[in-house]
Amino acid sequence: MGISQLLKAPKGYERYLRNAALAMVIALVIGMVFGATMVNHLDFYQQQELEEGLNYYLQISDEGGSISKAKIATNSLNTNGMFVFYTTICGLAVVGLPFVWGLVFIRGVVLGFTVGYLVQRLAWRGLVFCLATLFPFAALLIPVTIFSGAHSVAFSWLMITKVFGGGDRTPPPILGYIFVQFTAFVGMFILAMLEAAIVPWLLERLLPWVIA
């Protein structure tokens, strides 16, 4: 068994990957729509908790409270890095395919809910705030999320065909798969560094305008 077999994707893998990417896009979009819709179905106590949390955050920032760059980077890397870790594990597990779809769906829910709540709470200022602070990073976050999730689903499906399909006994390209997911992790690391460098600067300038 040559090392190239563990690195190179087999014939037909591209078709798995295209279908998986489409499934990830659908999961993300459905999650975003669901998350945005959830904002209109919060009960009174849930709205109060969110309101208190947002007001406290705005007050701290307005009073000159500094925002830790290290904390932003750590939180971002923990959240996004763990996503890549979980999708990697799900891809290696034969039964992990539906869990990847669920993870991407949840990411869409969080993103849709965040945007929906800020727009509902702050109106057009909230929209501008989202465009300035969320969407530039989402331009990197969403492609890397789909990239990692799609490769995980494609690899999991390849494993299923090998286990239950019969006939094909060639080893799966596990080293290539791990390298791909490592690349996704590097993308999430770059995202965390960008957030740590830019988000405090953006919040310092935008929050006084938002709460004016």
Side-chain angles (χ1 to χ4, degrees):
M1 179 180 67
I3 189 85
S4 61
Q5 289 182 302
L6 300 178
L7 286 169
K8 186 178 179 181
K11 185 179 180 180
Y13 184 79
E14 293 79 8
R15 177 168 53 87
Y16 293 153
L17 189 59
R18 287 195 300 269
N19 294 337
L22 178 60
M24 294 302 98
V25 171
I26 292 173
L28 191 69
V29 171
I30 293 176
M32 291 173 64
V33 173
F34 184 78
T37 305
M38 283 175 59
V39 177
N40 298 322
H41 294 85
L42 297 175
D43 60 35
F44 175 77
Y45 296 103
Q46 290 172 325
Q47 291 181 10
Q48 285 294 104
E49 290 179 1
L50 286 172
E51 193 78 12
E52 290 173 4
L54 180 61
N55 287 337
Y56 176 77
Y57 179 73
L58 293 176
Q59 181 182 0
I60 290 294
S61 300
D62 189 42
E63 291 174 354
S66 59
I67 301 170
S68 171
K69 293 184 177 181
K71 190 171 184 178
I72 289 176
T74 300
N75 289 341
S76 176
L77 194 57
N78 282 342
T79 301
N80 299 318
M82 289 305 294
F83 170 83
V84 174
F85 174 76
Y86 288 139
T87 55
T88 302
I89 297 301
C90 287
L92 294 172
V94 176
V95 295
L97 192 151
F99 295 101
V100 179
W101 199 93
L103 287 170
V104 175
F105 173 79
I106 292 173
R107 303 218 97 189
V109 170
V110 172
L111 183 60
F113 182 85
T114 302
V115 174
Y117 177 71
L118 289 174
V119 172
Q120 183 189 71
R121 171 65 172 77
L122 302 171
W124 67 274
R125 292 175 185 260
L127 179 60
V128 174
F129 185 78
C130 289
L131 289 173
T133 60
L134 293 179
F135 281 84
F137 303 107
L140 176 59
L141 175 65
I142 290 175
V144 175
T145 294
I146 294 173
F147 176 82
S148 177
H151 275 280
S152 179
V153 168
F155 188 81
S156 180
W157 185 253
L158 179 64
M159 294 285 287
I160 291 173
T161 59
K162 286 182 176 295
V163 171
F164 299 104
D168 185 6
R169 298 302 178 187
T170 59
I174 187 169
L175 294 182
Y177 171 69
I178 292 175
F179 177 77
V180 163
Q181 294 294 5
F182 177 75
T183 303
F185 180 82
V186 170
M188 294 302 190
F189 179 82
I190 294 173
L191 175 64
M193 296 302 102
L194 289 174
E195 288 182 340
I198 299 174
V199 167
W201 183 86
L202 286 173
L203 293 181
E204 181 182 346
R205 285 154 179 80
L206 286 177
L207 283 177
W209 172 77
V210 169
I211 63 178

